Amino acid sequence: MITFEEAYRRIMLNTKDFGDEAVDLMKSTNRILAESIYADRDFPPFDRATKDGIAIKYESFEKGIPYFNVEGVVSAGMPQQKLIGEENCLEIMTGAVLPHNTDTIVMYEDIEIVDGFASIKSNPRKGQNIHKKGEDKKQGEVLLEKGIRISPADIGVFATVGKVEVLVKKLPKVCVISTGNELVDISETPLAHQIRTSNVLSLQTALASENIHADHIHLLDDKKSITQKLTVALREYDVLLLSGGVSKGKYDFIPEVLDDLGVDKVFHKVLQRPGKPMWFGRHESLKTAVFSFPGNPVSTFANYHIYFLPWLYNSLGVDNESEFVILDEDLPNTTPLTLFIPVKTFWDKGTLMARKIENSGSGDLTCLAYSDGFVCLPPQEIPYYRGLLVPYIPVK
Amino acid sequence: MITFEEAYRRIMLNTKDFGDEAVDLMKSTNRILAESIYADRDFPPFDRATKDGIAIKYESFEKGIPYFNVEGVVSAGMPQQKLIGEENCLEIMTGAVLPHNTDTIVMYEDIEIVDGFASIKSNPRKGQNIHKKGEDKKQGEVLLEKGIRISPADIGVFATVGKVEVLVKKLPKVCVISTGNELVDISETPLAHQIRTSNVLSLQTALASENIHADHIHLLDDKKSITQKLTVALREYDVLLLSGGVSKGKYDFIPEVLDDLGVDKVFHKVLQRPGKPMWFGRHESLKTAVFSFPGNPVSTFANYHIYFLPWLYNSLGVDNESEFVILDEDLPNTTPLTLFIPVKTFWDKGTLMARKIENSGSGDLTCLAYSDGFVCLPPQEIPYYRGLLVPYIPVK
């Protein structure tokens, strides 16, 4: 059986670039930007008033002019205006273009206007209250680098430069596959020996938060129908995420069928808990990646986060930044396995701390709902002590 | 002018419960659960095999029976079976119901089956490899408390108990309103004195991540049309988010129009930077909440996170957990204002650290795109030193 590190390494050797696609900027949030974004002109594009007040030529103020005749009003959205008399002024609104023959703005709070003449009560600085053309960015400068995850603030940048469509990394086509004759639909009332399907719905909603709208197939424990459905799925999707069906049971035909269909096994079983009977393979020619997770909810969800998400992010060209938390209690690992322990995290003076969620085993229904992620504890002789910094895999 | 703390307090006095609504479980991710979820039966619902192997009566093993005649195979999804001969066994698969007359499961790794007879090579424990009925949860127990934010793991819990629809907190109807004659649509090429609209698109995408699909209205600097459009908007929406239009300019009719239309001003201007000209009011009878943000991108986005999101979460009954970061540099505040400084955060040994993003002023185009949030620095005589824990408002 291979170690967790080896399993992780092998999966990362099987990432794939799915290419790029153009999407409407309003649908690009949380996608990975596949082009750099440049300034299409200077920003601000003109000398821009940052206060409401009057625009003057500073030289006139220096000369000691007491009253400035107000020639008119300039507001945002007006083409550039011109001050006719150099010793006059123009009223100006925030966002407006600085008029020709002016170089300084004095805000309303510092002036008094009586009968069309403005007097200045303060001591203005030459050039004040003007956001200079190109001060933020020059035309042609890079505004956003390719490879970032797009946030609402980035949408504002796209809009500013008129990127109605942006190029983003294409996402894989994913199918989640449930297995087992004991599963019934959530709308049904299960008989005593049946349970409702749940893992695939958790996976589908988790995938939705990655902008992946995954289809769902259910496989009954029947070799012929499994073969038929997997044949089609391997062609139609880039990734299959199976839940259950890879243990040692008599009716677990899946590894055998996958082998028959040309999927090369990369590994089966990992020295880890939960999630030991993890199976990963890749179709030799179609390159479909097949993640087969153990069937219980905690194992499925853990391995989705431990293996699938890093595989996805690497495939999209995003760095997987490792995260860490401080243990708030001693957590020994006396096994030869890498333990992934569900924890609840909390902040203590700027530090992220983690406490174990008590659960009765890998089947516990609500353990995942109450946890924020898993701490990763590789086997080691010395126990993991309170206060130790350990790797952390967030799940929400 | 009021302080930030006072502005925040006044906004929190104006929250509103928008009621509950039932939604399809697959559309409930990230919504606030408005009902508690109970176990509809015991979990597991039956004594469940956790390994593939044989089910025996432990007493027979104790008696020293060397070979167990295999009566048949029991798999997941089959109704409960019965072991006929007490000294025989049944092959059993993970997920299957423990058969009558059996109490212990010995996994395949620990047995050998030859010619229909199984011999046990290990020393089994009575009751091993069985997940007992009701061990995780008893029928009627609370699985999820109302008031939580729904995660993919919770979707799995809903599915398990057959909650096809769940009751969630209803979200307010929101309209984002841009103002100003200088703005043109993102698909247009702006003239020298014009700029493309961007703030409202950032707001709309930020709201989308709260599951709020906000409409958009643009107001030109014309009192009559502003009055008409705001009259309708105040009736149709629970919340108006305005960007721009509340400074001192000649064409900033909005505060006046809102007053005419029956919106009570709760405050205008706050001792803070950026975002000082913030205006907040509430319609006296319709109770529409009106957040009017200053027009530049950083101010709008900051005040959306500083005021609107806490107002929204409080309205939905969610606790606003304060967040904190450690400063990675000295940041003095020599002003009488509360400063909200855009920062980039990074982890250092489990601790979240923050460094200021250099920006040229509140209009900088890309400053938001490169920051993760704002640190909040109230006025104080002593500078904020490196290593200090300060309040933090994340924006992504």
Side-chain angles (χ1 to χ4, degrees):
Chain A
M1 217 181 301
I2 62 172
T3 62
F4 156 65
E5 290 76 13
E6 175 62 14
Y8 186 89
R9 192 186 70 81
R10 290 194 195 170
I11 284 181
M12 292 312 142
L13 289 176
N14 283 282
T15 57
K16 184 183 169 186
D17 187 340
F18 299 100
D20 306 335
E21 64 181 337
V23 297
D24 184 284
L25 88 162
M26 296 301 279
K27 292 191 173 151
S28 68
T29 320
N30 215 20
R31 299 291 297 269
I32 306 304
L33 185 61
E35 60 175 331
S36 293
I37 302 294
Y38 301 91
D40 64 330
R41 51 178 177 161
D42 287 348
F43 289 100
F46 46 81
D47 291 344
R48 186 180 165 279
T50 63
K51 287 282 185 332
D52 302 318
I54 55 168
I56 59 165
K57 184 163 192 165
Y58 185 75
E59 215 179 278
S60 311
F61 170 79
E62 268 188 323
K63 278 190 217 157
I65 308 255
Y67 298 102
F68 294 78
N69 185 6
V70 180
E71 288 186 3
V73 180
V74 181
S75 65
M78 283 168 78
Q80 189 178 27
Q81 303 296 301
K82 186 177 175 178
L83 185 68
I84 315 278
E86 289 201 348
E87 301 183 354
N88 296 340
C89 71
L90 280 161
E91 282 189 71
I92 190 163
M93 303 301 132
T94 302
V97 185
L98 187 73
H100 283 295
N101 293 333
T102 69
D103 55 16
T104 300
I105 291 171
V106 189
M107 61 180 181
Y108 280 130
E109 285 83 345
D110 294 338
I111 61 169
E112 198 168 33
I113 301 182
V114 179
D115 294 337
F117 284 86
S119 58
I120 297 176
K121 302 178 291 174
S122 66
N123 215 352
R125 224 177 357 91
K126 186 178 177 182
Q128 73 180 16
N129 299 325
I130 296 163
H131 195 178
K132 295 291 280 181
K133 178 172 191 283
E135 191 178 316
D136 289 352
K137 296 287 167 187
K138 300 280 181 219
Q139 183 173 359
E141 261 191 86
V142 174
L143 301 180
L144 299 173
E145 300 276 0
K146 70 192 244 182
I148 61 163
R149 187 177 289 273
I150 297 166
S151 73
D154 300 323
I155 305 290
V157 178
F158 299 154
T160 303
V161 300
K163 289 291 291 182
V164 177
E165 283 200 325
V166 288
L167 207 61
V168 297
K169 294 305 291 177
K170 214 165 165 177
L171 294 162
K173 286 184 71 182
V174 179
C175 187
V176 295
I177 301 179
S178 51
T179 62
N181 290 353
E182 74 276 27
L183 297 184
V184 300
D185 190 76
I186 54 165
S187 59
E188 290 177 43
T189 303
L191 299 174
H193 58 283
Q194 298 175 322
I195 54 173
R196 294 190 185 89
T197 192
S198 66
N199 285 356
V200 293
L201 303 183
S202 290
L203 287 179
Q204 281 181 302
T205 46
L207 287 161
S209 68
E210 305 294 331
N211 292 294
I212 294 174
H213 299 282
D215 291 333
H216 171 213
I217 292 174
H218 182 69
L219 302 180
L220 290 172
D221 295 339
D222 167 72
K223 195 172 171 181
K224 197 175 152 201
S225 104
I226 289 178
T227 305
Q228 282 172 345
K229 289 187 175 178
L230 287 181
T231 303
V232 177
L234 283 166
R235 298 204 163 268
E236 286 196 355
Y237 299 96
D238 300 307
V239 185
L240 308 184
L241 300 182
L242 284 87
S243 178
V246 287
S247 58
K248 280 207 160 208
K250 284 229 163 194
Y251 301 96
D252 293 338
F253 307 113
I254 293 170
E256 191 185 329
V257 171
L258 287 170
D259 187 51
D260 290 350
L261 295 176
V263 179
D264 295 326
K265 183 180 85 173
V266 174
F267 64 80
H268 184 195
K269 293 197 172 178
V270 184
L271 286 162
Q272 69 172 76
R273 187 163 66 212
K276 188 162 92 173
M278 169 80 188
W279 190 103
F280 177 75
R282 196 160 185 208
H283 194 280
E284 54 200 11
S285 58
L286 299 166
K287 302 297 175 199
T288 317
V290 182
F291 293 79
S292 194
F293 304 129
N296 73 61
V298 178
S299 300
T300 290
F301 215 58
N303 280 354
Y304 170 85
H305 287 89
I306 294 167
Y307 296 113
F308 173 71
L309 282 186
W311 176 90
L312 175 67
Y313 297 157
N314 273 6
S315 292
L316 299 175
V318 181
D319 283 342
N320 266 303
E321 250 192 286
S322 300
E323 298 196 30
F324 295 89
V325 285
I326 304 272
L327 292 181
D328 191 47
E329 63 191 315
D330 296 350
L331 289 177
N333 178 5
T334 54
T335 74
L337 311 171
T338 297
L339 300 184
F340 293 95
I341 298 176
V343 292
K344 181 90 194 152
T345 58
F346 61 94
W347 289 97
D348 180 26
K349 299 193 186 74
T351 300
L352 193 60
M353 311 287 293
R355 275 199 85 83
K356 185 180 174 179
I357 299 274
E358 287 308 326
N359 66 321
S360 60
S362 58
D364 190 336
L365 187 59
T366 54
C367 143
L368 286 174
Y370 286 100
S371 85
D372 304 319
F374 297 90
V375 290
C376 169
L377 307 183
Q380 71 171 24
E381 294 201 1
I382 317 149
Y384 291 86
Y385 286 116
R386 181 168 190 276
L388 205 67
L389 187 73
V390 296
Y392 172 61
I393 298 162
V395 301
K396 272 176 190 171
Chain B
M1 217 181 303
I2 62 172
T3 61
F4 157 65
E5 289 76 13
E6 176 62 13
Y8 186 91
R9 194 186 68 81
R10 289 194 197 170
I11 283 182
M12 292 311 142
L13 290 174
N14 283 283
T15 58
K16 184 183 169 188
D17 187 340
F18 298 100
D20 306 334
E21 64 181 338
V23 297
D24 183 285
L25 88 162
M26 294 302 279
K27 293 191 172 148
S28 68
T29 320
N30 217 21
R31 300 290 297 269
I32 307 303
L33 185 62
E35 60 175 332
S36 293
I37 302 294
Y38 300 91
D40 64 331
R41 52 178 177 160
D42 287 348
F43 289 100
F46 46 80
D47 291 344
R48 186 181 165 281
T50 63
K51 288 282 188 327
D52 303 317
I54 57 168
I56 59 165
K57 184 163 192 166
Y58 186 76
E59 215 179 279
S60 310
F61 171 79
E62 270 190 320
K63 276 190 216 157
I65 309 255
Y67 298 102
F68 294 78
N69 186 4
V70 181
E71 288 186 3
V73 182
V74 181
S75 66
M78 284 170 77
Q80 190 179 28
Q81 303 295 302
K82 185 176 175 179
L83 183 69
I84 315 278
E86 290 200 349
E87 302 184 353
N88 295 341
C89 71
L90 280 162
E91 280 189 73
I92 190 163
M93 303 300 131
T94 302
V97 185
L98 187 74
H100 284 295
N101 292 333
T102 69
D103 55 17
T104 299
I105 291 171
V106 189
M107 62 182 181
Y108 280 128
E109 285 84 342
D110 294 337
I111 61 169
E112 196 167 37
I113 301 182
V114 178
D115 294 336
F117 283 86
S119 58
I120 297 176
K121 300 178 292 173
S122 66
N123 216 350
R125 227 177 354 91
K126 186 179 178 179
Q128 74 181 15
N129 298 327
I130 296 162
H131 196 178
K132 296 289 282 182
K133 180 173 190 283
E135 191 177 314
D136 288 351
K137 296 287 168 187
K138 301 280 182 215
Q139 183 172 1
E141 259 189 87
V142 173
L143 301 180
L144 298 174
E145 301 277 0
K146 70 194 241 182
I148 60 162
R149 187 177 288 272
I150 297 167
S151 72
D154 301 323
I155 305 290
V157 177
F158 299 155
T160 303
V161 300
K163 289 291 293 182
V164 177
E165 284 202 324
V166 286
L167 207 63
V168 296
K169 295 305 292 177
K170 216 166 165 175
L171 294 162
K173 284 183 73 181
V174 179
C175 188
V176 295
I177 302 178
S178 50
T179 62
N181 290 355
E182 74 278 26
L183 296 183
V184 300
D185 189 76
I186 53 164
S187 59
E188 289 177 43
T189 303
L191 299 174
H193 58 282
Q194 298 176 321
I195 54 172
R196 294 190 185 89
T197 191
S198 66
N199 285 355
V200 293
L201 303 184
S202 290
L203 287 178
Q204 281 181 302
T205 45
L207 287 161
S209 69
E210 305 295 329
N211 291 293
I212 294 174
H213 299 281
D215 290 334
H216 171 215
I217 292 173
H218 182 69
L219 301 180
L220 290 173
D221 295 338
D222 167 72
K223 194 170 173 180
K224 197 173 153 203
S225 105
I226 289 178
T227 305
Q228 282 173 344
K229 288 187 173 176
L230 287 180
T231 303
V232 177
L234 284 166
R235 298 205 163 267
E236 286 195 356
Y237 298 96
D238 299 307
V239 185
L240 307 185
L241 300 182
L242 284 85
S243 178
V246 288
S247 58
K248 280 208 160 204
K250 285 231 160 186
Y251 301 96
D252 293 339
F253 307 114
I254 293 171
E256 191 185 329
V257 172
L258 287 170
D259 187 51
D260 290 350
L261 294 176
V263 179
D264 296 328
K265 183 180 86 174
V266 174
F267 65 79
H268 184 194
K269 293 199 172 178
V270 184
L271 286 162
Q272 70 173 76
R273 187 161 71 211
K276 189 162 93 175
M278 170 81 189
W279 190 102
F280 177 76
R282 195 161 184 208
H283 194 279
E284 53 200 9
S285 58
L286 299 166
K287 301 297 175 201
T288 318
V290 182
F291 294 77
S292 194
F293 305 129
N296 73 62
V298 178
S299 300
T300 291
F301 214 58
N303 280 355
Y304 170 85
H305 288 90
I306 294 166
Y307 295 114
F308 173 73
L309 281 186
W311 176 90
L312 175 67
Y313 297 158
N314 274 6
S315 292
L316 299 176
V318 181
D319 283 342
N320 266 303
E321 250 191 285
S322 300
E323 298 196 30
F324 295 88
V325 284
I326 305 271
L327 293 181
D328 190 47
E329 62 191 316
D330 296 351
L331 289 177
N333 178 4
T334 55
T335 73
L337 312 171
T338 297
L339 300 184
F340 293 95
I341 296 177
V343 292
K344 180 88 194 155
T345 57
F346 61 94
W347 290 96
D348 180 26
K349 300 192 185 75
T351 299
L352 194 61
M353 311 287 294
R355 275 198 85 81
K356 185 180 174 181
I357 298 275
E358 288 309 327
N359 66 321
S360 60
S362 58
D364 189 339
L365 186 60
T366 52
C367 142
L368 286 174
Y370 286 100
S371 85
D372 305 319
F374 297 90
V375 290
C376 170
L377 306 183
Q380 71 171 24
E381 297 204 357
I382 316 151
Y384 291 86
Y385 287 116
R386 181 167 189 277
L388 206 67
L389 186 72
V390 296
Y392 173 61
I393 298 162
V395 303
K396 273 175 191 173

